[in-house]
Amino acid sequence: IKSIIKGSMEHFAAPQTKFKFLICSDIDGPSATRISEKFISSDPTFDGIILAGPLAHSEHLESKEDIAVLKGDIASILAQFENIACRVLYLPAESDPADIRLEQLHLTPNSINFHGRQIYLTSTLRLLGYSECNEELVHAKLPGHVDRSAESDDELENVGVASGQSGSIIQEMLRNSNPSGADSSVEDIATGIFALNYRYAHTLNQLLFHMSGDLDQAKVGLCIITSTHCSETERLPTKFGKLHIVAVKSLRQGGNYTVVDIEYNAATKAWDKIAIQAHEM
């Protein structure tokens, strides 16, 4: 991904000063059904839904027919969330079909894929997303004297990773993102929400410890962090310096979901009034 597609979709952009988001990660059909049944006829009313993959789970993708069936399953899941709110923004994971992650912008009429993209939710609030996959890593050989034979598969997961493209891609995204308002008549700087679905812990560390200047320059005030591979997500604080963090646990395993209220602050001209609540079904 070399640049950001700046998608200012008319049916996503809205002239409002408050948003209530439902945020879910690691989803399958049954869990999507349960949460849609919970909220479809009850308060609170959400202004938008942000989903992070995996969006479906299948171990058998051996043919085009298998992939087509899985795409249908994912579209059905997105449609269930559309019953809760008409704006659904999704970030596919590595295990989701590659063309869904990299190519397809919409799977349903009211949903949009924001991997590698910048979407304006209002003229002064925008959403960016990146989903890491294994192909974006560069491996190095271990020194011959290092004995890893007694270590578990989990402990070996990050061994031999010399560097990765993910960090440079994320940095380029942040530096290329445009924090000026989508509406040229608006003088306010557009606050950013950055969603990262990471696979390796060092990518998260790069973002939080080595890209604070890039996050500030991109005016990112809220990070949504998800991962099905790393336990570091569960230990993240809700605040890291000035940065608010939403660490979203699995909906499929445990019925976890998060509600985020974000409000425009006229005094600071930023969307910095943020409340985060984690829930279990």
Side-chain angles (χ1 to χ4, degrees):
I1 299 171
K2 295 299 182 183
S3 62
I4 296 174
I5 300 172
K6 296 173 183 175
S8 183
M9 309 299 292
E10 288 185 3
H11 62 291
F12 284 92
Q16 59 194 82
T17 57
K18 293 181 182 179
F19 271 98
K20 182 183 288 289
F21 289 112
L22 171 64
I23 305 177
C24 302
S25 173
D26 186 20
I27 304 150
D28 62 4
S31 62
T33 299
R34 288 197 303 273
I35 198 165
S36 63
E37 289 175 348
K38 175 179 178 64
F39 287 120
I40 197 167
S41 59
S42 65
D43 290 332
T45 300
F46 297 104
D47 300 293
I49 296 173
I50 299 173
L51 305 177
L55 299 171
H57 298 264
S58 176
E59 297 179 358
H60 305 287
L61 293 178
E62 299 176 355
S63 67
K64 292 182 179 179
E65 289 76 16
D66 293 335
I67 294 174
V69 169
L70 187 60
K71 285 183 181 180
D73 292 342
I74 293 174
S76 176
I77 287 169
L78 295 175
Q80 292 195 68
F81 281 98
E82 287 176 343
N83 289 330
I84 302 173
C86 64
R87 295 188 190 96
V88 177
L89 303 109
Y90 62 94
L91 187 63
E94 176 186 31
S95 58
D96 295 318
D99 58 341
I100 285 182
R101 176 175 171 266
L102 299 174
E103 298 173 14
Q104 286 190 275
L105 187 59
H106 307 279
L107 274 177
T108 58
N110 293 312
S111 68
I112 188 167
N113 171 13
F114 68 100
H115 168 62
R117 298 185 171 96
Q118 175 174 262
I119 307 295
Y120 275 91
L121 304 172
T122 75
S123 61
T124 57
L125 181 65
R126 67 202 205 287
L127 175 68
L128 304 92
Y130 180 74
S131 185
E132 182 178 37
C133 75
N134 185 46
E135 297 171 356
E136 289 148 359
L137 291 175
V138 178
H139 291 271
K141 291 182 179 179
L142 291 173
H145 66 277
V146 176
D147 180 14
R148 299 286 185 177
S149 59
E151 298 185 26
S152 68
D153 290 342
D154 288 341
E155 289 170 324
L156 286 169
E157 183 70 22
N158 285 313
V159 169
V161 175
S163 62
Q165 296 178 27
S166 299
S168 58
I169 292 172
I170 292 168
Q171 191 170 52
E172 186 175 352
M173 284 184 65
L174 293 171
R175 290 179 178 180
N176 288 346
S177 70
N178 182 12
S180 61
D183 184 349
S184 59
S185 65
V186 178
E187 295 181 357
D188 296 353
I189 298 298
T191 301
I193 300 172
F194 182 72
L196 173 64
N197 194 342
Y198 72 100
R199 196 183 195 284
Y200 292 92
H202 73 270
T203 303
L204 177 64
N205 291 337
Q206 279 186 291
L207 176 70
L208 295 180
F209 293 103
H210 302 290
M211 298 187 197
S212 57
D214 297 301
L215 289 165
D216 286 342
Q217 183 179 341
K219 303 301 179 185
V220 172
L222 174 66
C223 273
I224 300 168
I225 307 294
T226 60
S227 177
T228 56
H229 296 275
C230 299
S231 59
E232 283 81 3
T233 309
E234 298 180 4
R235 299 193 293 269
L236 287 173
T238 56
K239 198 85 179 290
F240 192 82
K242 295 184 295 182
L243 187 68
H244 293 265
I245 295 178
V246 182
V248 188
K249 299 179 183 179
S250 171
L251 177 66
R252 179 175 63 94
Q253 298 178 325
N256 299 285
Y257 65 92
T258 302
V259 176
V260 173
D261 290 280
I262 182 168
E263 183 178 353
Y264 179 75
N265 186 343
T268 61
K269 294 188 176 181
W271 292 73
D272 56 13
K273 294 181 178 180
I274 299 171
I276 301 167
Q277 292 184 322
H279 301 272
E280 291 182 12
M281 283 195 293

